[in-house]
Amino acid sequence: MTVAVWPVRRESEGLALRLAEALDAVLHRPWMRAGRQAAHFQAAFREARAWVFIGAAGIAVRFLDGLTRSKLSDPAVVVLDDAARFAVALLGGHEGGGNRLAYEVARLTGAVPVVTTATEAVKPLTLGVGCRRNVSEAQIEAAVRHALGSRPLTEVREVATVDLKANEPGLLAFCARHDLPLRVLAAADLAARPFVTHPSAWVQRSVGLSGVCEPCALSASPRGQLIVPKSALNGVTVAVVEDRGPHVGEAQR
C-alpha cells in the first residue's frame, strides 16, 4: 500500500525522513507551503492508503474531522509522537492495515505500539522469542508450535523479541506468514526487568542479558502469566504468556 508521512513540525523532519525511507513512503513537508496545514492534509488525505502522522493525537483528530467515510475505504492513520514514544493505530486498524503499520513504525523507531481494536483483545497469548543468528523460518515455526502445544497460533496476539533480533529474516518471515505483529523491545529495558526462570550464560555473553524470550513476553504483556517458561528447540527459544485480563476492581482500590 502507498504510505505517506506527515510531520506537523519542522523539528520532526529528521524522524520523518528516516521513516519515509524505511517504509518507502511519500514525505510531506507542510511547513514549506503557504496556508493552513489542516487544509493541505485534508486535500491530500485520499492520495495514500495509509498515513504516519507525526505529532499530537489531538491535532490528528482535528485534521481528520469530516474526512472519514467508511472503515472499508478510509486510509489508515498511525499517530507517532515527536519523541517516538508511542505509535497509535488511530484509524483503519484492521481493514486499512493500521495495526500492522503501527507495529512496523514501532519496530523502526523503538516506540510502543498502541492497538485498541477488539479483535486483538480476545487473543490472550504473547510469545517471547529469542534465536541464534540466521535461523530459518522453519526453525522459528517448529519452536513456536512446540512451545504452544495444543494451543493454536490464532490465539497469539503478538510476538516480542529483543532489538538485536529485530531484523532476523527467519523471524520476520514467520511473523509475516502468520500475520503476527512483531514487538521489538530495547535490550536496556529488558535488562532492567530480568524476568528469567533459568538464566543463560551463553545469552549473557552474546546479548548482554540473562535471558530473552521470558522477559520479552512478560514485558510485552505485563499483566499476563507465564504459562510456558523458556522452551528451546534447534537454536530458538520461546516463552508463552497468557493475558489475565483487566482487573478493574483492583485498580480502583
Side-chain angles (χ1 to χ4, degrees):
M1 66 181 170
T2 304
V3 179
V5 179
W6 189 284
V8 173
R9 303 168 66 244
R10 184 191 293 269
E11 290 80 359
S12 300
E13 184 176 10
L15 172 62
L17 180 59
R18 293 193 299 273
L19 266 180
E21 290 175 347
L23 296 170
D24 192 23
V26 177
L27 174 60
H28 291 261
R29 294 178 172 88
W31 51 84
M32 298 180 69
R33 302 179 63 180
R36 294 179 60 249
Q37 188 176 148
H40 294 314
F41 177 81
Q42 290 164 359
F45 181 59
R46 297 196 179 275
E47 295 176 1
R49 284 299 303 139
W51 289 88
V52 179
F53 187 95
I54 303 179
I59 297 175
V61 169
R62 288 194 291 273
F63 278 24
L64 289 165
D65 184 36
L67 293 179
T68 58
R69 299 173 185 170
S70 167
K71 66 179 184 179
L72 300 178
S73 60
D74 290 337
V77 177
V78 170
V79 177
L80 179 71
D81 63 282
D82 294 278
R85 294 169 299 180
F86 300 98
V88 184
L90 186 68
L91 189 66
H94 284 301
E95 288 78 8
N99 293 346
R100 190 179 302 109
L101 181 59
Y103 273 97
E104 180 67 8
V105 169
R107 185 178 71 85
L108 292 168
T109 63
V112 175
V114 180
V115 172
T116 60
T117 45
T119 301
E120 280 67 32
V122 299
K123 295 181 179 180
L125 302 183
T126 297
L127 303 181
V129 176
C131 61
R132 293 182 184 271
R133 186 176 300 174
N134 293 323
V135 298
S136 68
E137 177 189 348
Q139 287 173 271
I140 298 286
E141 174 118 15
V144 166
R145 292 194 180 276
H146 174 73
L148 285 174
S150 62
R151 302 290 289 266
L153 270 172
T154 52
E155 290 190 25
V156 175
R157 181 170 63 250
E158 65 182 3
V159 177
T161 195
V162 65
D163 52 9
L164 299 174
K165 299 296 178 182
N167 295 310
E168 279 291 333
L171 181 57
L172 292 174
F174 168 78
C175 291
R177 178 181 294 275
H178 296 287
D179 197 24
L180 289 170
L182 180 63
R183 170 94 65 101
V184 176
L185 300 166
D189 293 338
L190 295 174
R193 306 181 72 185
F195 305 128
V196 178
T197 56
H198 299 290
S200 167
W202 183 88
V203 174
Q204 186 69 57
R205 291 193 304 270
S206 302
V207 185
L209 300 170
S210 56
V212 170
C213 63
E214 290 177 342
C216 281
L218 287 163
S219 294
S221 184
R223 67 182 180 210
Q225 179 179 1
L226 184 68
I227 61 171
V228 179
K230 181 175 73 174
S231 170
L233 181 66
N234 199 15
V236 181
T237 60
V238 181
V240 183
V241 166
E242 184 163 26
D243 196 348
R244 293 177 296 180
H247 299 278
V248 178
E250 292 181 10
Q252 291 175 339
R253 286 199 291 271

